Amino acid sequence: MTIDEVVGIVSDGLYCVIITAAPVLLVSLIVGLVISIFQTVTSIQEQTLTFVPKVLCVFLAMMLCGDWMMNNMITFMESLWSDFSIYIR
């Protein structure tokens, strides 16, 4: 196994992680931004105000995108295991 193959596997793995985590991270980012703007406009400086809506929205995003996220990870792992004999040479 050459360094180029290892770099390719790591690159594909990082791409899979980024693509899989993106929906949940974007939902968390957007909810946090909306709540921060709301806090700024209303001058409410409660630090725990963002926690509950973020948790609920992230949970909802995981419920909606969970199937796609799991299929994405399964596809990546299947491609790794199917090429396993190539990797051990």
Side-chain angles (χ1 to χ4, degrees):
M1 179 173 241
T2 65
I3 292 178
D4 293 335
E5 292 172 336
V6 173
V7 169
I9 293 169
V10 170
S11 174
D12 291 343
L14 289 175
Y15 180 75
C16 181
V17 167
I18 290 170
I19 293 300
T20 303
V24 175
L25 293 175
L26 287 174
V27 166
S28 177
L29 175 77
I30 291 169
V31 170
L33 183 65
V34 168
I35 292 174
S36 295
I37 291 171
F38 174 74
Q39 284 180 324
T40 302
V41 169
T42 59
S43 298
I44 298 174
Q45 297 302 322
E46 179 63 35
Q47 296 297 323
T48 59
L49 183 63
T50 61
F51 181 72
V52 173
K54 266 190 186 180
V55 167
L56 292 176
C57 290
V58 165
F59 181 70
L60 183 64
M62 288 181 73
M63 285 179 55
L64 293 175
C65 298
D67 182 51
W68 174 80
M69 293 167 69
M70 186 59 76
N71 285 334
N72 195 13
M73 291 185 286
I74 288 171
T75 302
F76 177 68
M77 285 307 297
E78 284 177 347
S79 71
L80 284 179
W81 282 109
S82 67
D83 295 337
F84 189 71
S85 61
I86 295 170
Y87 301 146
I88 58 174
R89 276 196 276 157

